Amino acid sequence: MEPVWEWFRWLYDAHGIKLTIFFDEWDRGRFLNGIWTTIHLSFVAILLSIAVGIVGAWLQMSYLVWVRRIVEGYIQFFRNTPPLIQLYFFYFAVDSALSDSFGITGGVMGSYGWAVVSLSFFAGAFNVEIFRAGVEAVPRSTIEAADSLGYTRLQVYRYVTLPLAFRVCLPALNNNLINLVKTTTVAYAIAVPETLYISNQIWSDEYNVFEMMNVVWVVYIVLVGCLVWFMYRWEASIRIPGYGQ
C-alpha cells in the first residue's frame, strides 16, 4: 500500500489536498480506530434496540394495565425527546446519581457504555411500535390455531406471532436502524472516539476541515449503504411468497 500512500502525499504537495489520513501513519491509525468504534457502537446498539423492541412489543400485550402504561411511558419519553438530550441525561444525570448511590468514584460506566445505553433505548422505543404493528398484522386465525394446539401465550409469541410479524415489519425496522447508525454521531458530544470525534481532532491538528468533512460524508454513505444492502438481502431471504405483500 506504500505507493498509494505516497500518491496522496504527492496530491498534497502538488495540489494542496491534505488527506493526512492516507499518508500520515498516526492520523491513519486513529481514523481507522474511529471508524471501528462507529461500527462497533452501531452493531451493539442495533442488537440491543431490536431486543428492546421485541420485549416491549410482548409487554404491550400484557393483561396488567400498569405494565402496559410503563411501556407506553417509555415509548413517549424516548420518541418525543432529542437523542442528544437523552445522551446527556444518561451520561451526566443517571451516571452521577448511580455513582452517589453506590459510592462509586469515576462514574458507573464510561462514555462508550452510556452511548450504547442511550442509543439502544432511543431506537428501541421506535422498534417497540414497529414490532407492535407487525404483531397486529398477523391474522387472528393463525394465533387461534396456535392456541388450539396448546401453546402458551409466550410460545405463541415466540414461535408463531413474532416470526410472521418480523417479516411484515422488516422494511420499517430497516429505516429505523439506518437512522440509528446516523444518530451514533451524537456520541461525539460525550467524547466517544467515533468517526466524527476523531475527524474533528484530525482537522483541528492538520487544518484540513474541507477534506475531512468530505471523507466523513463518504464513510457514512458506505456504512449506511452496507447496512441497506444487508437488510435488503435479509428481507429477501425470509420473504414468504404471498404473505405481507
Side-chain angles (χ1 to χ4, degrees):
M1 295 293 292
E2 193 61 32
V4 176
W5 308 147
E6 288 303 319
W7 184 85
F8 280 101
R9 185 183 298 277
W10 169 85
L11 189 65
Y12 170 55
D13 294 336
H15 302 284
I17 300 177
K18 198 174 184 181
L19 291 169
T20 57
I21 59 171
F22 294 106
F23 62 81
D24 184 275
E25 185 176 356
W26 164 244
D27 284 351
R28 182 167 65 247
R30 57 177 172 167
F31 186 69
L32 291 176
N33 286 335
I35 295 176
W36 169 246
T37 300
T38 295
I39 294 172
H40 191 270
L41 177 62
S42 300
F43 180 75
V44 175
I46 284 173
L47 292 182
L48 291 179
S49 68
I50 291 175
V52 169
I54 292 173
V55 174
W58 162 251
L59 294 177
Q60 279 191 319
M61 298 185 296
S62 173
Y63 292 132
L64 302 175
V65 176
W66 63 271
V67 172
R68 297 198 302 270
R69 287 180 177 175
I70 289 175
V71 175
E72 183 62 27
Y74 156 72
I75 293 172
Q76 295 304 322
F77 176 81
F78 282 94
R79 288 180 63 184
N80 297 312
T81 53
L84 181 59
I85 301 302
Q86 297 169 18
L87 186 64
Y88 281 151
F89 171 73
F90 280 106
Y91 185 65
F92 292 109
V94 176
D95 187 74
S96 178
L98 291 176
S99 298
D100 293 341
S101 299
F102 296 100
I104 301 174
T105 58
V108 177
M109 288 191 293
S111 58
Y112 177 85
W114 283 120
V116 169
V117 171
S118 178
L119 291 169
S120 299
F121 278 125
F122 168 70
F126 291 89
N127 288 345
V128 171
E129 289 293 271
I130 290 171
F131 281 111
R132 180 191 60 80
V135 168
E136 291 180 352
V138 176
R140 183 64 191 173
S141 59
T142 304
I143 299 175
E144 291 173 350
D147 287 334
S148 67
L149 294 174
Y151 281 31
T152 64
R153 290 182 67 246
L154 181 57
Q155 287 175 327
V156 171
Y157 182 70
R158 179 179 177 184
Y159 298 114
V160 180
T161 308
L162 185 59
L164 294 175
F166 199 81
R167 290 168 167 84
V168 174
C169 67
L170 195 54
L173 181 64
N174 185 17
N175 291 334
N176 191 40
L177 297 185
I178 290 172
N179 184 60
L180 173 58
V181 172
K182 294 185 291 185
T183 308
T184 58
T185 53
V186 301
Y188 166 96
I190 58 172
V192 176
E194 44 79 55
T195 304
L196 182 60
Y197 182 83
I198 296 298
S199 297
N200 176 263
Q201 289 186 328
I202 293 174
W203 74 55
S204 297
D205 293 341
E206 305 292 346
Y207 302 103
N208 58 346
V209 179
F210 176 79
E211 291 89 342
M212 286 307 303
M213 286 304 300
N214 279 279
V215 170
V216 171
W217 178 65
V218 171
V219 166
Y220 277 96
I221 286 179
V222 172
L223 290 178
V224 172
C226 290
L227 178 61
V228 170
W229 177 84
F230 173 78
M231 294 296 289
Y232 175 79
R233 297 290 297 178
W234 189 13
E235 182 182 351
S237 67
I238 65 174
R239 183 180 293 121
I240 299 176
Y243 182 80
Q245 304 298 321

